[in-house]
Amino acid sequence: MTINRDLVKGLSLLAIALFFGLQANSYPLGTLGRAGPGMFPLVVSALLFLVGSAIVVRTRIVRGDRLEFKARNIALVAAGLLSFVLLSGYVNMLVGLTVMVLISSYAASDFKLSRALALSAVLACVALAMKLGLGLQLPLY
């Protein structure tokens, strides 16, 4: 029996959406005019649930690719995440982001250094905008 890769993606998104949506209910939602701390995760979870549902429904219509587990790619992504955590804590977050993207991007079959560096730069800009624009306490530098 083959497992449809898109079906697994859709079900994973549904599970994540349900998990965070249920967690959001433990915080006050507030109103649309004055949102509480639970509003943002609830809205994002609802949108993620819709995307996951659409993917699951699409698997009933379009034949998808077979799911394959590649231990090398799983290990690379896990190493990227671990490097982000360690480098963000001991060096700074910009170095952690860059190393995470470089390691994780290497798991792609069409790895390009220029694309990985561009993605790192975009993520760094987003993190900087969140620090400066929203006042988040991120250890960027």
Side-chain angles (χ1 to χ4, degrees), residues 69-79 103-109 111:
F69 286 101
K70 296 181 181 177
R72 174 186 172 271
N73 292 352
I74 294 170
L76 283 170
V77 171
I103 292 172
S104 298
S105 295
Y106 196 64
S109 59
F111 172 77

PDB file of all heavy atoms in Angstrom, residues 69-79 103-109 111:
ATOM      1  N   PHE A  69      10.415   8.283   2.940  1.00  0.00           N
ATOM      2  CA  PHE A  69      11.174   8.784   4.075  1.00  0.00           C
ATOM      3  C   PHE A  69      12.653   8.729   3.718  1.00  0.00           C
ATOM      4  O   PHE A  69      13.174   7.687   3.360  1.00  0.00           O
ATOM      5  CB  PHE A  69      10.917   7.944   5.328  1.00  0.00           C
ATOM      6  CG  PHE A  69       9.578   8.198   5.940  1.00  0.00           C
ATOM      7  CD1 PHE A  69       8.536   7.323   5.739  1.00  0.00           C
ATOM      8  CD2 PHE A  69       9.353   9.330   6.702  1.00  0.00           C
ATOM      9  CE1 PHE A  69       7.299   7.558   6.294  1.00  0.00           C
ATOM     10  CE2 PHE A  69       8.123   9.575   7.259  1.00  0.00           C
ATOM     11  CZ  PHE A  69       7.092   8.686   7.055  1.00  0.00           C
ATOM     12  N   LYS A  70      13.304   9.865   3.819  1.00  0.00           N
ATOM     13  CA  LYS A  70      14.740   9.937   3.557  1.00  0.00           C
ATOM     14  C   LYS A  70      15.410  10.365   4.855  1.00  0.00           C
ATOM     15  O   LYS A  70      15.329  11.522   5.262  1.00  0.00           O
ATOM     16  CB  LYS A  70      15.029  10.920   2.435  1.00  0.00           C
ATOM     17  CG  LYS A  70      14.429  10.465   1.110  1.00  0.00           C
ATOM     18  CD  LYS A  70      14.747  11.432  -0.002  1.00  0.00           C
ATOM     19  CE  LYS A  70      14.112  10.934  -1.285  1.00  0.00           C
ATOM     20  NZ  LYS A  70      14.321  11.844  -2.392  1.00  0.00           N
ATOM     21  N   ALA A  71      16.073   9.414   5.494  1.00  0.00           N
ATOM     22  CA  ALA A  71      16.683   9.660   6.802  1.00  0.00           C
ATOM     23  C   ALA A  71      17.703  10.794   6.734  1.00  0.00           C
ATOM     24  O   ALA A  71      17.802  11.598   7.670  1.00  0.00           O
ATOM     25  CB  ALA A  71      17.337   8.387   7.323  1.00  0.00           C
ATOM     26  N   ARG A  72      18.429  10.899   5.636  1.00  0.00           N
ATOM     27  CA  ARG A  72      19.423  11.961   5.480  1.00  0.00           C
ATOM     28  C   ARG A  72      18.757  13.334   5.556  1.00  0.00           C
ATOM     29  O   ARG A  72      19.248  14.233   6.240  1.00  0.00           O
ATOM     30  CB  ARG A  72      20.137  11.796   4.143  1.00  0.00           C
ATOM     31  CG  ARG A  72      21.093  12.906   3.809  1.00  0.00           C
ATOM     32  CD  ARG A  72      21.650  12.734   2.375  1.00  0.00           C
ATOM     33  NE  ARG A  72      22.410  13.882   1.971  1.00  0.00           N
ATOM     34  CZ  ARG A  72      21.926  14.961   1.378  1.00  0.00           C
ATOM     35  NH1 ARG A  72      20.639  15.045   1.122  1.00  0.00           N
ATOM     36  NH2 ARG A  72      22.704  15.960   1.036  1.00  0.00           N
ATOM     37  N   ASN A  73      17.654  13.509   4.867  1.00  0.00           N
ATOM     38  CA  ASN A  73      16.969  14.799   4.861  1.00  0.00           C
ATOM     39  C   ASN A  73      16.371  15.125   6.229  1.00  0.00           C
ATOM     40  O   ASN A  73      16.415  16.273   6.670  1.00  0.00           O
ATOM     41  CB  ASN A  73      15.888  14.825   3.788  1.00  0.00           C
ATOM     42  CG  ASN A  73      16.468  14.790   2.394  1.00  0.00           C
ATOM     43  OD1 ASN A  73      17.674  14.900   2.213  1.00  0.00           O
ATOM     44  ND2 ASN A  73      15.620  14.622   1.407  1.00  0.00           N
ATOM     45  N   ILE A  74      15.821  14.124   6.889  1.00  0.00           N
ATOM     46  CA  ILE A  74      15.269  14.333   8.234  1.00  0.00           C
ATOM     47  C   ILE A  74      16.388  14.745   9.185  1.00  0.00           C
ATOM     48  O   ILE A  74      16.235  15.664   9.992  1.00  0.00           O
ATOM     49  CB  ILE A  74      14.537  13.070   8.719  1.00  0.00           C
ATOM     50  CG1 ILE A  74      13.295  12.830   7.844  1.00  0.00           C
ATOM     51  CG2 ILE A  74      14.149  13.184  10.187  1.00  0.00           C
ATOM     52  CD1 ILE A  74      12.623  11.492   8.066  1.00  0.00           C
ATOM     53  N   ALA A  75      17.527  14.090   9.079  1.00  0.00           N
ATOM     54  CA  ALA A  75      18.669  14.421   9.938  1.00  0.00           C
ATOM     55  C   ALA A  75      19.187  15.832   9.651  1.00  0.00           C
ATOM     56  O   ALA A  75      19.542  16.575  10.576  1.00  0.00           O
ATOM     57  CB  ALA A  75      19.781  13.398   9.744  1.00  0.00           C
ATOM     58  N   LEU A  76      19.213  16.231   8.379  1.00  0.00           N
ATOM     59  CA  LEU A  76      19.681  17.580   8.031  1.00  0.00           C
ATOM     60  C   LEU A  76      18.748  18.656   8.584  1.00  0.00           C
ATOM     61  O   LEU A  76      19.214  19.664   9.119  1.00  0.00           O
ATOM     62  CB  LEU A  76      19.813  17.727   6.514  1.00  0.00           C
ATOM     63  CG  LEU A  76      21.046  17.089   5.887  1.00  0.00           C
ATOM     64  CD1 LEU A  76      20.936  17.077   4.367  1.00  0.00           C
ATOM     65  CD2 LEU A  76      22.301  17.813   6.321  1.00  0.00           C
ATOM     66  N   VAL A  77      17.452  18.456   8.464  1.00  0.00           N
ATOM     67  CA  VAL A  77      16.506  19.437   8.989  1.00  0.00           C
ATOM     68  C   VAL A  77      16.605  19.509  10.514  1.00  0.00           C
ATOM     69  O   VAL A  77      16.611  20.593  11.106  1.00  0.00           O
ATOM     70  CB  VAL A  77      15.070  19.130   8.524  1.00  0.00           C
ATOM     71  CG1 VAL A  77      14.059  20.002   9.231  1.00  0.00           C
ATOM     72  CG2 VAL A  77      14.964  19.310   7.014  1.00  0.00           C
ATOM     73  N   ALA A  78      16.709  18.348  11.169  1.00  0.00           N
ATOM     74  CA  ALA A  78      16.856  18.328  12.626  1.00  0.00           C
ATOM     75  C   ALA A  78      18.159  19.017  13.049  1.00  0.00           C
ATOM     76  O   ALA A  78      18.188  19.780  14.019  1.00  0.00           O
ATOM     77  CB  ALA A  78      16.818  16.892  13.148  1.00  0.00           C
ATOM     78  N   ALA A  79      19.238  18.780  12.305  1.00  0.00           N
ATOM     79  CA  ALA A  79      20.519  19.435  12.607  1.00  0.00           C
ATOM     80  C   ALA A  79      20.418  20.944  12.403  1.00  0.00           C
ATOM     81  O   ALA A  79      20.990  21.721  13.175  1.00  0.00           O
ATOM     82  CB  ALA A  79      21.625  18.857  11.731  1.00  0.00           C
ATOM     83  N   ILE A 103      22.007  24.620   6.376  1.00  0.00           N
ATOM     84  CA  ILE A 103      21.984  23.175   6.641  1.00  0.00           C
ATOM     85  C   ILE A 103      20.687  22.557   6.136  1.00  0.00           C
ATOM     86  O   ILE A 103      20.691  21.536   5.448  1.00  0.00           O
ATOM     87  CB  ILE A 103      22.176  22.888   8.146  1.00  0.00           C
ATOM     88  CG1 ILE A 103      23.579  23.265   8.581  1.00  0.00           C
ATOM     89  CG2 ILE A 103      21.907  21.415   8.450  1.00  0.00           C
ATOM     90  CD1 ILE A 103      23.802  23.186  10.084  1.00  0.00           C
ATOM     91  N   SER A 104      19.554  23.177   6.444  1.00  0.00           N
ATOM     92  CA  SER A 104      18.263  22.619   6.055  1.00  0.00           C
ATOM     93  C   SER A 104      18.071  22.653   4.543  1.00  0.00           C
ATOM     94  O   SER A 104      17.475  21.733   3.968  1.00  0.00           O
ATOM     95  CB  SER A 104      17.120  23.378   6.728  1.00  0.00           C
ATOM     96  OG  SER A 104      17.221  23.259   8.128  1.00  0.00           O
ATOM     97  N   SER A 105      18.557  23.687   3.884  1.00  0.00           N
ATOM     98  CA  SER A 105      18.422  23.786   2.429  1.00  0.00           C
ATOM     99  C   SER A 105      19.211  22.699   1.718  1.00  0.00           C
ATOM    100  O   SER A 105      18.862  22.302   0.610  1.00  0.00           O
ATOM    101  CB  SER A 105      18.893  25.148   1.933  1.00  0.00           C
ATOM    102  OG  SER A 105      18.075  26.164   2.424  1.00  0.00           O
ATOM    103  N   TYR A 106      20.256  22.230   2.338  1.00  0.00           N
ATOM    104  CA  TYR A 106      21.068  21.176   1.739  1.00  0.00           C
ATOM    105  C   TYR A 106      20.281  19.874   1.586  1.00  0.00           C
ATOM    106  O   TYR A 106      20.645  19.014   0.796  1.00  0.00           O
ATOM    107  CB  TYR A 106      22.341  20.959   2.560  1.00  0.00           C
ATOM    108  CG  TYR A 106      23.395  20.177   1.838  1.00  0.00           C
ATOM    109  CD1 TYR A 106      23.985  20.689   0.690  1.00  0.00           C
ATOM    110  CD2 TYR A 106      23.780  18.923   2.270  1.00  0.00           C
ATOM    111  CE1 TYR A 106      24.944  19.981   0.001  1.00  0.00           C
ATOM    112  CE2 TYR A 106      24.749  18.200   1.587  1.00  0.00           C
ATOM    113  CZ  TYR A 106      25.322  18.728   0.454  1.00  0.00           C
ATOM    114  OH  TYR A 106      26.260  18.017  -0.231  1.00  0.00           O
ATOM    115  N   ALA A 107      19.163  19.748   2.290  1.00  0.00           N
ATOM    116  CA  ALA A 107      18.324  18.565   2.170  1.00  0.00           C
ATOM    117  C   ALA A 107      17.552  18.549   0.848  1.00  0.00           C
ATOM    118  O   ALA A 107      17.093  17.501   0.409  1.00  0.00           O
ATOM    119  CB  ALA A 107      17.338  18.477   3.337  1.00  0.00           C
ATOM    120  N   ALA A 108      17.411  19.707   0.200  1.00  0.00           N
ATOM    121  CA  ALA A 108      16.682  19.771  -1.072  1.00  0.00           C
ATOM    122  C   ALA A 108      17.502  19.110  -2.176  1.00  0.00           C
ATOM    123  O   ALA A 108      18.731  19.174  -2.193  1.00  0.00           O
ATOM    124  CB  ALA A 108      16.394  21.223  -1.437  1.00  0.00           C
ATOM    125  N   SER A 109      16.781  18.501  -3.104  1.00  0.00           N
ATOM    126  CA  SER A 109      17.478  17.832  -4.206  1.00  0.00           C
ATOM    127  C   SER A 109      18.092  18.840  -5.175  1.00  0.00           C
ATOM    128  O   SER A 109      19.019  18.515  -5.899  1.00  0.00           O
ATOM    129  CB  SER A 109      16.513  16.906  -4.948  1.00  0.00           C
ATOM    130  OG  SER A 109      15.423  17.649  -5.445  1.00  0.00           O
ATOM    131  N   PHE A 111      19.605  21.917  -4.347  1.00  0.00           N
ATOM    132  CA  PHE A 111      20.248  22.911  -3.480  1.00  0.00           C
ATOM    133  C   PHE A 111      21.053  23.903  -4.291  1.00  0.00           C
ATOM    134  O   PHE A 111      21.819  23.532  -5.184  1.00  0.00           O
ATOM    135  CB  PHE A 111      21.168  22.211  -2.468  1.00  0.00           C
ATOM    136  CG  PHE A 111      22.008  23.164  -1.672  1.00  0.00           C
ATOM    137  CD1 PHE A 111      21.458  23.872  -0.627  1.00  0.00           C
ATOM    138  CD2 PHE A 111      23.341  23.364  -1.983  1.00  0.00           C
ATOM    139  CE1 PHE A 111      22.229  24.764   0.112  1.00  0.00           C
ATOM    140  CE2 PHE A 111      24.115  24.242  -1.260  1.00  0.00           C
ATOM    141  CZ  PHE A 111      23.556  24.946  -0.208  1.00  0.00           C
TER     142      PHE A 111
END
